Amino acid sequence: MRTSTGSLSVEVSPEVGDAVAAGRAVVALESTIFSHLGLPSPSNREALERCEHAVRSAGAVPAVTAVLDGVARVGVDGDDRERICGPARKMAERDIPVAVGLNWEYGATTVSAALALAHLAGVKVFATGGIGGVHRGVELTWDVSADLDAIATRPLVTVSAGAKAFLDLGRTLEHLETAGVPVLGWRSDDFPAFYTRSAGLPVPHRVESADQVAAVWSARTRPDSGMLLAVPIPSEDELDAAHLDEVLARALDECAAAGVVGAGVTPFVLERIAMATAGRSLPANLALAEHNALVAAQVAVAISG
Ligand code: PSU
Ligand code: MN
C-alpha cells in the first residue's frame, strides 16, 4: 500500500496498512537502534525481536520505519527485515528527502524521522529507547536534537525511557515545556535518565495507566501536536547512577578531545558507555527498549479502543 502526502510517498506493509485502516493498535519503531549504529550485533537483532514480540503480546502491530533502496517504509517484513539489523546511515527527518532522492540503500530512522514516516502512515504511537535532546554545553555548540521539535509537532505519543543520559536533561525538559509538549511520567514522579529510573528531576505529570494516557491524548488542544510518555527502566535492569555519572563525564571528554561533533556525537558516546560499563549497559538498553515497546502497545490499544 502506498500513501502519499506532499511529495513523499511511503510504502506501508499490508499488515500495518490493514491495521491502520481498521483502526487497530499499531506501534511505530525507529530503526537506528536495530541497525549497526544503535547496538552491536547480535544485540541489535535481539532488540528487534524483543520489541516486536512485546508489541504483539499486548495486541498491537509493530511498524518498523526505514528508508530501503530509496523507498520510505512503514512496516518492514520478509527478507527486508534482515536488512534492518545491518549497516545503515543515520537519518533524521531532514535526511529523509536526501535518502529517497539519492536512493540510499538503508537510511535508519532516528526519532524525528520515525515520527515523520509513522505520521504519514497514520500511526498514533511510537516507541523508542531514549530520545535525543539538549546537549550539555549547548550554549557553545547549539546542539539540540531534531527529535524534540518532531515530538512537539507530530501527532503521536512518543514512549521513551526519558532522554539519553549524557544530555542536559534539565534543559531538555525546559525545551519540551517551551515547545508545548505534555510530558507524562509512567507510574513515576521523576523524569527517567535512560539507564537509571530518575534524573533527579520531577516529571510534570504522573499517569498510572494506558487509559489515562489515552484520556490525555484525546484532550489535546491542538490535533497536530504530540506528547511524551517517559517510562523508567524496570528496577531490576537499572544501572548504578554514581558509576554512570563518572562514565558519562569521561565519554563526553573523549568525544570533545576526538573532535566529534553533530550527528556523530550520539554513536560515539554510546559506544564509550558500553565499553566502560563492561557490557552492562547493553542488557539495560535491551530491557528498557522492550519495556517501552510493551507500554506503547498498551497505550496504542487504549487509544484505538
Ligand atoms: N538513544 C540510544 N541510542 C541511539 C539513539 C538514542 O540509546 O542510537 C538515537 C535515536 O535514534 C535518536 C538519535 O533519535 O539517537 C538522536 O540523535 P541526535 O542526538 O544526533 O539528534
Ligand atoms: Mn545533534
Side-chain angles (χ1 to χ4, degrees), residues 90 94 135 141 143 164 166 255 259-268:
K90 179 174 168 179
R94 71 167 186 170
H135 284 248
T141 63
D143 193 347
K164 287 170 293 185
F166 56 86
C255 188
V260 177
V261 293
V265 169
T266 294
F268 182 96

Side-chain angles (χ1 to χ4, degrees), residues 30 32-33 37-38 90 109-112 128-133 135 143-147 164 167 194-195 262-263 266 270 285:
E30 63 156 296
T32 296
I33 172 172
L37 297 169
K90 179 174 168 179
T109 50
T110 61
V111 169
S112 65
T128 181
I131 60 168
H135 284 248
D143 193 347
V144 177
S145 176
D147 290 359
K164 287 170 293 185
L167 299 171
F194 199 69
Y195 298 117
T266 294
L270 288 174
N285 208 334

Side-chain angles (χ1 to χ4, degrees), residues 1 25 35 56 83 85 104 106 116 127 138 155 165 172-173 244 248 292:
M1 187 185 302
S35 75
R56 290 192 192 282
R83 298 176 59 190
C85 302
W104 284 12
Y106 176 17
V138 63
T172 298
L173 281 169
L244 201 61
L248 292 181
N292 292 346

Side-chain angles (χ1 to χ4, degrees), residues 8-296:
L8 175 68
S9 78
V10 176
E11 178 85 27
V12 183
S13 74
E15 187 191 21
V16 171
D18 287 350
V20 170
R24 290 198 303 272
V26 178
V27 174
L29 300 166
E30 63 156 296
S31 45
T32 296
I33 172 172
F34 307 127
S35 75
H36 285 182
L37 297 169
L39 293 164
S41 180
S43 296
N44 56 346
R45 177 169 289 99
E46 185 185 337
L48 176 60
E49 283 164 6
R50 282 170 63 177
C51 286
E52 287 186 327
H53 183 261
V55 170
R56 290 192 192 282
S57 75
V61 173
V64 173
T65 55
V67 167
L68 292 174
D69 298 326
V71 178
R73 307 274 294 266
V74 176
V76 178
D77 46 24
D79 295 343
D80 291 334
R81 221 172 136 271
E82 199 53 34
R83 298 176 59 190
I84 294 300
C85 302
R89 295 173 72 170
K90 179 174 168 179
M91 187 179 65
E93 179 175 357
R94 71 167 186 170
D95 304 309
I96 294 174
V98 182
V100 171
L102 303 188
N103 204 26
W104 284 12
E105 234 171 90
Y106 176 17
T109 50
T110 61
V111 169
S112 65
L115 285 168
L117 297 185
H119 173 50
L120 289 175
V123 180
K124 302 265 186 300
V125 180
F126 162 65
T128 181
I131 60 168
V134 180
H135 284 248
R136 297 181 193 177
V138 63
E139 59 274 31
L140 297 176
T141 63
W142 228 250
D143 193 347
V144 177
S145 176
D147 290 359
L148 296 183
D149 282 347
I151 291 166
T153 58
R154 296 294 183 183
L156 286 94
V157 180
T158 293
V159 181
S160 89
K164 287 170 293 185
F166 56 86
L167 299 171
D168 186 324
L169 298 180
R171 284 168 168 167
T172 298
L173 281 169
E174 285 288 353
H175 190 103
L176 289 166
E177 181 182 344
T178 303
V181 179
V183 180
L184 309 177
W186 178 256
R187 297 173 184 163
S188 174
D189 297 313
D190 290 354
F191 191 63
F194 199 69
Y195 298 117
T196 54
R197 289 178 58 81
S198 173
L201 298 162
V203 81
H205 306 284
R206 176 184 176 124
V207 288
E208 304 295 340
S209 68
D211 284 343
Q212 285 190 332
V213 178
V216 175
W217 170 257
S218 59
R220 284 165 306 139
T221 53
R222 280 181 280 164
D224 56 351
S225 63
M227 53 193 242
L228 179 64
L229 178 61
V231 179
I233 183 172
S235 312
E236 61 273 24
D237 302 300
E238 191 179 25
L239 298 187
D240 177 67
H243 174 61
L244 201 61
D245 276 348
E246 282 169 38
V247 168
L248 292 181
R250 213 173 322 126
L252 288 169
D253 284 348
E254 285 170 5
C255 188
V260 177
V261 293
V265 169
T266 294
F268 182 96
V269 174
L270 288 174
E271 194 194 319
R272 295 298 155 122
I273 294 170
M275 275 157 48
T277 55
R280 268 175 303 131
S281 64
L282 218 50
N285 208 334
L286 290 173
L288 68 84
E290 178 183 37
H291 185 234
N292 292 346
L294 179 67
V295 173

